[in-house]
Amino acid sequence: MRSDVLRTGIERAAPRSLFKAMGYIDEEMYSPLIGIANSWNEIVPGHIQLDKIAEAVKTGVRIAGGTPMEFGVIGVCDGLAMGHEGMKYSLVTREIIADSIECMAKAHAFDALVLIPNCDKIIPAMLMAAARVNIPAIVVSGGPMLAGRYKGKNISVTQMFEGAGAVLSGQITEEELSEMEEAACPGCGSCAGMFTANSMNCLTEALGMGLPGNGTIPAVYAARIRLAKKAGIKVMELLDKDIKPRDIMTEAAFKNALAVDMALGCSTNTTLHVPAIAHEAKVAFELEMLNEVSAKTPHLVTLSPAIAHPSDDPARQEIHHVQDLDEAGGVPAVMKELSKKGLIDLSVMTVTGATVGENIEKARIANDDVIHTIENPYSEIGGLAVLRGNLCPDGAVVKQSAVDPEAWVFEGPARVFECEDDAVKELLEMKIKKGEVIVIRNEGPKGGPGMREMLTATAAVCGMGMGKDIALITDGRFSGASRGACIGHVSPEAASGGPIGFLKDGDIISIDIPNKRMDVKLSDEELAARRAEWKAPEPRVKEGYLARYARCVSSAAKGAIVE
C-alpha cells in the first residue's frame, strides 16, 4: 500500500500518534487510506449539497473496507462571478484545484481518491489531478438542478441572464422578471441545461471516470446518494485491481468523449477542458480533432440553452433540460446509439471495472423526443465547430447547435471593444445595430487575464431578441448558457499579437460556420501593416495570482494550460 509509508515500522510512531490524535483506531489506520476531495461550500448552488454526497461516499468506502479521509478544495460559482471582476478568477481556479489535490494526495500518500465536484472548471480540475497523480480514482458529481416552471414552461438560469435584455426590449415586464426569479432555480444542483458543468459531468461519464448516471441523475434524487455510495465501494475495487486513471483515460476514451460531446451539443468550454485533461493524461490532442469527430457524429440531443427546433408536434417544441436526458436513458443511451455507427470504442476500460461495451449493453432510448435515434438526428454533424481563417489562424470555437441556422453565415461591420464591460454598456443603451459584429478583445487567458465568460453580453443580445441579427466574437470564452452567433476562444488572442488585436470599427467580418471559416476582409498586406503598428497592451493586473497566471498560461487553443 502507498500509505504504508505513513504507518509501518518503528520509525513511523510519530505519524501513528497523529492519526490517534484525530480518533483513528488501528483498524482504520491499517486499512487503505482513501482521499475524498470535496468541493463543498455554501456559495455555489451546485455544491451546497456535496456534504451529503461526501457522507454517502464515505459510507461506501467503509462498507468496502477502506478508511475515508475528506479534505476540501475551492470552487467559484460562475453565475455569481459573471459580469464583473470576479469572472477573471473563474477559469484560473482550475489550476489551483488540480495543484491542491496533487499536493494533498502526494503529501499524505493516499492509496486512492474519490473526487467530488459539480461545476464548471472544478470537474476538469479534478480529472486533471486524477490523471497527474495517477492512483486509483473515481469521480462522483453532485448532479444537475431541476428546471424551474413558469407559466407552464420549463425555465432555467438562462432566462434570468437574458432577463435584462428582455425587459429593455419590452418583451417582459420587471414584475414578470421578478416572478421568474422566484421560479427559475428551484433547488440545489448544477444549473439545469447543457451548460459547462453538466457538459463536463456527462463527459466524465463518457471518458469512463464516472459511473453510469454521473452526468444526469438530478441532485435532489435519492438515486444520486445511492450512486455516491456505489462510487465509494467501487474505488476500493479499482484499488484492488490497480486500475488507474491513465488506464482509463486513453486516446480511445477521449475520442469517445468527443463523440458524446458532439451528440449532446455540449458547452464550448469543453474545448478548453478536454485538451487540458488530455495533457495531464499524456494523450496527444489537437483542436482539429473536434472538427474530425463533429463531421461524422450526428447531433442527437438538444437541451437548453440550444433553441427548440421547429415542429408541428408541441412536445418537440419544448426546450429540454438535463433531467429529461436522464429520464430518456442518459449518457449510456446516447453512447449505445452512437455505437450503432461505430462512433464509440466499446473496448475502453471504465471505473466500473468493466468496458464501455459491457456498461451500455442494456442501455436504450426511453424517449426519442429527447434522444433522437441515429437514423433521425437533429443534425448529421455535431454540436461544436472549430473555425479558422485570417482572423483566427490557430482556431476559434462555436456551439453551432445553439446558433439559429439563419445566422450560420453572417457578414457585417465590426464594433470593436477592449473589454466586455464596454460592450455590455453599449448593448444596454441600445447602441448596437442589427447586422453588426461585436468584437470583444483583450479578454483571453493572458489579456483578461483569466479568459472571462461573456454571458452578460450574449444574454443581453438574446434577451433583446437579436440572437440571429448580431454576431459576437471574442478571444474570451462563453458560458455554457450562452446561445446565438457567438464565436469564442479566438486564437492567437489580442494580448499575444493575434489578428483580433488589429481590428478597427467598420472592418467587415465574415463568419461561415458550414465551411468552418472566419475572416476579416482585409488584404494580407493591410494585416501585415497593422501588425507592424501594433503594440502589446499594458498588463491589466500587475500583482497577485492573476499576474502570475498571465505570465505562465498558454493559448486557448492548447486548453489554457499553465506551462
Side-chain angles (χ1 to χ4, degrees):
M1 286 288 176
R2 295 171 184 84
S3 56
D4 285 345
V5 299
L6 299 178
R7 63 198 174 196
T8 302
I10 59 173
E11 72 276 14
R12 295 302 176 192
R16 290 194 296 270
S17 70
L18 294 174
F19 277 117
K20 291 179 177 180
M22 294 181 282
Y24 290 105
I25 59 175
D26 285 351
E27 287 83 353
E28 292 175 295
M29 194 189 329
Y30 288 101
S31 296
L33 304 183
I34 311 302
I36 313 294
N38 186 4
S39 56
W40 173 86
N41 62 43
E42 295 181 331
I43 305 164
V44 187
H47 293 207
I48 192 74
Q49 82 287 12
L50 295 188
D51 55 340
K52 297 178 178 63
I53 297 295
E55 286 304 316
V57 166
K58 289 188 280 188
T59 296
V61 169
R62 291 187 182 106
I63 287 171
T67 298
M69 294 181 162
E70 183 180 355
F71 62 93
V73 299
I74 63 171
V76 168
C77 179
D78 281 21
L80 296 177
M82 195 72 65
H84 59 92
E85 182 190 26
M87 182 45 68
K88 294 179 185 289
Y89 287 89
S90 171
L91 177 63
V92 303
T93 63
R94 188 184 70 183
E95 276 37 59
I96 295 175
I97 294 165
D99 291 349
S100 67
I101 293 171
E102 175 194 356
C103 291
M104 292 295 286
K106 293 287 190 179
H108 303 108
F110 291 131
D111 296 304
L113 289 170
V114 181
L115 305 158
I116 308 175
N118 209 30
C119 292
D120 292 55
K121 80 299 305 162
I122 298 113
I123 304 156
M126 290 192 173
L127 288 167
M128 289 164 67
R132 188 187 302 171
V133 175
N134 203 35
I135 61 176
I138 190 170
V139 177
V140 57
S141 76
M145 186 185 293
L146 295 175
R149 295 288 290 177
Y150 180 69
K151 293 186 175 179
K153 291 187 176 182
N154 288 338
I155 64 170
S156 69
V157 73
T158 297
Q159 284 71 31
M160 301 316 303
F161 275 110
E162 295 176 0
V167 171
L168 289 172
S169 61
Q171 295 183 51
I172 62 172
T173 65
E174 288 190 47
E175 183 180 358
E176 287 174 312
L177 182 63
S178 181
E179 291 172 355
M180 292 166 63
E181 183 182 319
E182 296 289 334
C185 299
C188 65
S190 49
C191 299
M194 190 52 73
F195 312 139
T196 305
N198 292 324
S199 294
M200 289 309 305
N201 278 328
C202 287
L203 295 193
T204 297
E205 192 176 329
L207 264 176
M209 286 298 294
L211 295 174
N214 177 76
T216 59
I217 297 172
V220 295
Y221 286 8
R224 176 60 59 174
I225 298 297
R226 296 197 297 271
L227 187 78
K229 290 179 180 177
K230 290 177 183 176
I233 294 170
K234 192 58 67 173
V235 78
M236 297 300 294
E237 182 182 322
L238 294 171
L239 176 61
D240 183 59
K241 295 179 178 178
D242 198 28
I243 297 173
K244 297 184 287 292
R246 291 186 203 171
D247 299 325
I248 294 169
M249 290 192 281
T250 61
E251 182 179 349
F254 279 98
K255 288 182 178 178
N256 282 351
L258 287 180
V260 171
D261 192 335
M262 297 304 162
L264 294 178
C266 290
S267 163
T268 53
N269 283 317
T270 63
T271 65
L272 282 176
H273 298 321
V274 173
I277 299 163
H279 173 76
E280 297 289 356
K282 311 302 182 187
V283 172
F285 188 98
E286 297 293 334
L287 200 57
E288 203 57 40
M289 289 172 62
L290 274 80
N291 280 346
E292 294 170 9
V293 175
S294 181
K296 59 186 180 182
T297 306
H299 179 211
L300 302 181
V301 180
T302 292
L303 305 181
S304 174
I307 59 172
H309 285 250
S311 172
D312 294 331
D313 181 354
R316 289 180 180 263
Q317 292 174 358
E318 178 69 79
I319 296 176
H320 296 120
H321 293 79
V322 178
Q323 69 204 62
D324 302 303
L325 174 60
D326 185 63
E327 293 171 7
V331 172
V334 173
M335 295 183 80
K336 182 68 173 287
E337 204 63 21
L338 292 175
S339 71
K340 295 176 182 178
K341 201 176 177 181
L343 297 170
I344 296 293
D345 187 326
L346 300 175
S347 68
V348 173
M349 177 56 62
T350 74
V351 291
T352 65
T355 64
V356 169
E358 291 169 320
N359 288 346
I360 68 173
E361 184 178 1
K362 296 181 181 179
R364 64 180 183 86
I365 295 174
N367 183 345
D368 63 8
D369 282 334
V370 178
I371 304 174
H372 281 209
T373 64
I374 204 84
E375 297 82 16
N376 181 38
Y378 281 110
S379 169
E380 294 291 344
I381 58 174
L384 298 180
V386 175
L387 311 184
R388 294 192 187 271
N390 68 357
L391 191 49
C392 49
D394 292 345
V397 181
V398 63
K399 185 173 181 176
Q400 58 191 6
S401 61
V403 181
D404 191 301
E406 291 183 31
W408 276 30
V409 177
F410 195 101
E411 185 171 294
R415 288 287 303 279
V416 182
F417 300 93
E418 302 301 331
C419 65
E420 182 195 16
D421 310 78
D422 293 345
V424 170
K425 182 175 183 292
E426 293 281 291
L427 276 165
L428 296 181
E429 291 176 359
M430 312 290 278
K431 292 181 179 178
I432 305 293
K433 299 175 184 176
K434 290 184 178 181
E436 292 183 326
V437 179
I438 300 170
V439 178
I440 303 176
R441 64 190 179 196
N442 294 308
E443 291 284 12
K446 287 182 182 294
M451 205 178 184
R452 286 198 291 180
E453 290 183 344
M454 302 288 134
L455 181 55
T456 303
T458 60
V461 170
C462 290
M464 292 173 183
M466 296 195 292
K468 62 184 179 182
D469 302 311
I470 292 174
L472 194 158
I473 70 171
T474 180
D475 54 7
R477 62 193 179 106
F478 295 116
S479 165
S482 290
R483 60 188 178 97
C486 308
I487 295 92
H489 307 199
V490 173
S491 300
E493 63 175 292
S496 296
I500 190 173
F502 314 148
L503 294 179
K504 298 178 181 178
D505 282 346
D507 288 343
I508 301 301
I509 294 173
S510 172
I511 298 166
D512 187 344
I513 294 175
N515 289 306
K516 311 296 184 288
R517 295 286 306 182
M518 185 168 71
D519 298 275
V520 56
K521 292 196 167 181
L522 296 174
S523 66
D524 292 344
E525 292 76 14
E526 175 62 20
L527 278 173
R530 293 190 186 184
R531 181 177 287 108
E533 296 174 355
W534 178 82
K535 294 181 181 179
E538 277 287 309
R540 285 177 170 163
V541 180
K542 298 181 181 179
E543 60 185 16
Y545 177 62
L546 286 181
R548 297 197 300 275
Y549 178 87
R551 288 194 295 269
C552 302
V553 70
S554 74
S555 163
K558 293 183 178 181
I561 59 173
V562 169
E563 297 179 309

